[in-house]
Amino acid sequence: MKSYFGHISNAPSKRVLVLDFGSQYTQLIARRIRELGVFSEIVRHDQTREDYEKHHPIGLILSGGPSSVYEENAPKLHPSVLEWDIPMLGICYGLQVLAYQTGGSVVKGSLHEYGRAIATQIQSSPLLNGIDSAFEVWMSHGDQVVQLPAGYTCVATSPSTKNCVIANETLKRYGVQFHPEVTHTPQGKVILSNFLFQICNAVKNWSTETFIETALLNIQEFTQGRKVLLALSGGVDSSVLAALLGKAIGDRLIPIFVDNGLLRKNEAIQVVNTFQSIGIHVIPVNAQQQFLSALQNVEDPEEKRKIIGKTFIEVFTKEAQKFDDIGYFAQGTLYPDVIESSPVRGPSATIKSHHNVGGLPEELPFPLLEPLRELFKDEVRAVGKMLRLPDEIVMRHPFPGPGLAVRHLGAITPQGLEILRDSDDIFISELRKENLYSKVSQAFTVLLPVKSVGVQGDFRTYERTVVIRAVNTDDFMTADFTRFDWNFLAKVSNRITNEVRGVNRVVYDITSKPPATVEWE
Ligand code: XMP
């Protein structure tokens, strides 16, 4: 039985809904609204007013999207939403769909407008309060609104887009052709803030403190004195969850840390010690042999992932039996995981099968407790900081559930894992030394199943190749490889070939995602 804590919300009831038309920026819009102190949630674009009303919205934001309104099957608002007396802000496609469905006309622009543009105010509007009369915006569109629907006026214009900002002050409906949510629109946050506080009359109801307060009460009430089993991985999400649960239910938290033999250098001991220092007693379980023998001779990446997932569940089920009265299994699922694996997103969005949610078997021995389901990663980090978790945990790069197995190409061997641990340790410590660790989103090494010829001292060698991988990204859905200084890469390469036995060649992965993924398997 799958049952989620999710239906007990840690969020305030009044919220702004972001209707998703498939934009790559939809999550960013929701994050910006929350950064302004108002809770926001992403929902499908095609629900009825009645569906949306269940969320108690104070305003709707219509996201951008890749479609053209006049195309067949273009995503549209449900007609009942257009009858609704609620403030709306359409962004890019959101503006076009709002105009189109209320009688305006939209055409393919003669000029596509991508990148920076200057918008000029031609009329005042509460949406643009405090904004310069000419302001920089970020555009990304081909179509544009050429004829406004009745009741709308043009508030700002740009050289390529006549109706750059439009407003129907009576109905409190607004549209902006540019993207106020991106940092390239320097005053974008003021525009969003105006929409929230001057137009929707929002009150600040969302902060790290209020989230923690509500979550603590909810967890106490929900668990009803029962114990909660937590699979602690040492990553940011499960660590923050451990800290939150530890504070909420103390000794009723059973945080189990499974050493699957696929961890980084000294990781098991570090995790146990860190939590000890904040009063959480982690139970280490050494299951190295169980995992490694299940993975013996397995080369296929998906097969590896499946075996690891299955073995994890076996280990947990067995460990759980050592405790009586376990009521729940806690998991650090975050909001992006929930969005990506539910039908919330619009039709054009890429759906990625997500590791936390998708990786669990249907038959879990306990109902799930997922108190972080409503949070974005940066919000989880803020919660971790407020709960006094050390920076080395809160600001840590992500580490995949299957661990080093997906960085060890081909069949896994103890020697291969040793090479990965040592090379990863060198790379990460050099990054820290040069103050680069926090400037990179994720960095690690990969071991290739090939050997090549080299020369070390006066001797011919025939050894393995290690890949250095580092990426920068906002959300890991797309990523760019990190542009390091050559001297830095040379230093890491020298250290690895000199200090790690069995390696005579180091290469740097200069592929972005897409077409590659971040991990190699
Ligand atoms: P990919 O390789 O899909 O990785 O581009 C994107 C991000 O997800 C992490 N990742 C995982 N995390 N379980 C996890 O918890 C997994 O099975 C898994 N696979 C990849 C990866 O490290 C990167 O941060």
Side-chain angles (χ1 to χ4, degrees), residues 231-239 256-257 263-264 267 271 396 399:
L232 186 63
S233 71
V236 181
D237 311 341
S238 68
S239 297
I256 293 181
F257 180 79
L263 304 173
R264 290 163 289 187
E267 191 160 11
V271 169
R396 208 168 191 198
F399 185 61

Side-chain angles (χ1 to χ4, degrees), residues 207-482:
S207 68
T208 310
E209 291 90 333
T210 52
F211 170 81
I212 294 176
E213 254 168 49
T214 319
L216 292 177
L217 288 176
N218 278 342
I219 293 165
Q220 284 156 1
E221 197 174 317
F222 188 73
T223 54
Q224 295 283 327
R226 303 190 74 186
K227 291 187 181 127
V228 177
L229 191 70
L230 168 69
L232 186 63
S233 71
V236 181
D237 311 341
S238 68
S239 297
V240 171
L241 183 55
L244 187 68
L245 288 169
K247 200 169 163 105
I249 59 172
D251 286 348
R252 283 193 286 119
L253 169 67
I254 315 286
I256 293 181
F257 180 79
V258 174
D259 183 348
N260 57 8
L262 304 164
L263 304 173
R264 290 163 289 187
K265 197 167 184 167
N266 301 325
E267 191 160 11
I269 189 81
Q270 273 166 9
V271 169
V272 173
N273 288 345
T274 305
F275 279 94
Q276 192 77 29
S277 73
I278 59 163
I280 294 180
H281 306 294
V282 175
I283 301 165
V285 176
N286 185 340
Q288 293 186 11
Q289 277 321 314
Q290 196 173 336
F291 279 87
L292 296 184
S293 54
L295 286 166
Q296 215 166 18
N297 301 324
V298 178
E299 292 186 5
D300 180 70
E302 282 307 299
E303 184 82 18
K304 282 183 188 173
R305 284 175 179 272
K306 279 188 201 133
I307 292 173
I308 293 165
K310 187 168 154 274
T311 314
F312 248 106
I313 296 292
E314 282 167 15
V315 172
F316 275 116
T317 313
K318 193 165 145 227
E319 287 307 312
Q321 282 161 2
K322 298 181 183 164
F323 301 89
D324 52 9
D325 201 24
I326 297 273
Y328 300 94
F329 178 88
Q331 190 172 247
T333 310
L334 305 193
Y335 194 43
D337 304 331
V338 175
I339 301 167
E340 297 301 332
S341 31
S342 75
V344 160
R345 303 224 66 189
S348 48
T350 331
I351 310 267
K352 189 180 179 224
S353 79
H354 257 262
H355 318 293
N356 271 347
V357 179
L360 280 172
E362 279 306 312
E363 293 296 321
L364 274 178
F366 312 105
L368 275 178
L369 182 66
E370 299 180 300
L372 308 180
R373 266 176 86 82
E374 286 159 323
L375 301 191
F376 287 110
K377 191 90 173 182
D378 36 3
E379 294 174 318
V380 172
R381 291 203 157 108
V383 170
K385 280 193 172 174
M386 194 154 278
L387 294 173
R388 295 181 198 283
L389 276 177
D391 262 15
E392 69 229 42
I393 292 221
V394 172
M395 301 314 289
R396 208 168 191 198
H397 294 171
F399 185 61
L404 297 182
V406 291
R407 297 176 179 175
H408 184 309
L409 274 67
I412 293 165
T413 62
Q415 296 80 357
L417 290 173
E418 215 44 47
I419 290 177
L420 274 177
R421 283 193 188 104
D422 290 340
S423 55
D424 180 83
D425 186 53
I426 289 172
F427 184 27
I428 299 298
S429 58
E430 286 300 325
L431 282 169
R432 289 197 192 278
K433 231 190 265 172
E434 299 296 325
N435 268 332
L436 290 170
Y437 184 82
S438 58
K439 298 189 179 122
V440 171
S441 307
Q442 192 172 9
F444 53 90
T445 59
V446 178
L447 180 65
L448 298 190
V450 290
K451 284 186 166 186
S452 71
V453 175
V455 53
Q456 265 164 322
D458 287 332
F459 296 99
R460 175 188 191 271
T461 59
Y462 186 54
E463 307 271 29
R464 307 287 289 272
T465 301
V466 159
V467 179
I468 308 176
R469 178 79 164 139
V471 293
N472 284 85
T473 170
D474 275 338
D475 57 7
F476 292 92
M477 302 295 284
T478 61
D480 203 7
F481 74 87
T482 308

